[in-house]
């Protein structure tokens, strides 16, 4: 999911925690769509399947893909000027209707903090 060289204007993509192996376990069609949406984000755009992730403020988005009755999500942030961070990828299996499980919400918040530290280490404050 990465190339040796980036195109002009393309931001690097960083994967937090298990987000890359989790995404790679998704069906091919879902991986393709999420990959396309992340590519758009790397060039500063917003894919039609991306929407704001509630609860963490601006700059955190959720890519929503439904496939054969299952719901898949990838959460990423564009808060940083020089990078895109994928925070979490999961198959949504909510025990309480449409609500995202608390564990996933907390994991996104935790990985967002780690992404902030990583970005500061790479690029300074």
């Amino acid at each position: 999911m990465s190339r040796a060289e980036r195109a002009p204007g393309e931001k690097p993509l960083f994967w937090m925690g298990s987000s890359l192996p989790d995404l790679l376990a998704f069906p091919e069609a879902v991986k393709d769509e999420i990959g396309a949406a992340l590519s758009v984000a790397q060039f500063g755009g917003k894919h039609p399947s991306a929407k704001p992730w509630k609860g963490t403020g601006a700059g955190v988005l959720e890519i929503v893909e439904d496939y054969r009755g299952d719901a898949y999500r990838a959460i990423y942030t564009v808060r940083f000027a020089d990078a895109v961070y994928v925070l979490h990828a999961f198959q949504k299996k909510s025990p309480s209707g449409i609500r995202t499980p608390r564990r996933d919400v907390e994991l996104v918040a935790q990985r967002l903090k780690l992404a902030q530290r990583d970005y500061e280490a790479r690029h300074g404050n």
Side-chain angles (χ1 to χ4, degrees):
M1 302 224 75
S2 65
R3 297 181 314 275
E5 293 184 32
R6 287 191 307 275
E10 181 182 17
K11 296 177 183 180
L13 188 64
F14 297 105
W15 300 87
M16 301 305 297
S18 64
S19 57
L20 179 57
D22 292 342
L23 178 70
L24 292 175
F26 291 176
E28 288 300 319
V30 174
K31 289 189 284 191
D32 290 347
E33 286 299 314
I34 290 175
L38 290 173
S39 182
V40 170
Q42 286 181 270
F43 286 98
K46 182 177 170 272
H47 193 272
S49 66
K51 63 182 186 176
W53 172 259
K54 294 179 174 89
T56 53
V60 179
L61 296 116
E62 171 183 33
I63 301 165
V64 177
E65 283 300 321
D66 294 320
Y67 180 76
R68 295 186 177 176
D70 292 322
Y72 296 88
R73 304 291 186 258
I75 315 302
Y76 67 97
T77 185
V78 293
R79 284 187 180 175
F80 312 114
D82 299 314
V84 175
Y85 282 82
V86 180
L87 304 173
H88 189 29
F90 61 102
Q91 182 177 354
K92 190 171 176 184
K93 295 180 179 178
S94 179
S96 57
I98 62 171
R99 173 172 279 147
T100 301
R102 177 180 214 120
R103 179 185 101 43
D104 292 308
V105 173
E106 290 172 352
L107 189 57
V108 168
Q110 176 187 17
R111 288 182 177 172
L112 181 59
K113 290 176 186 174
L114 293 172
Q116 176 76 42
R117 283 190 230 142
D118 182 78
Y119 185 79
E120 289 171 358
R122 291 174 190 271
H123 299 282
N125 295 336

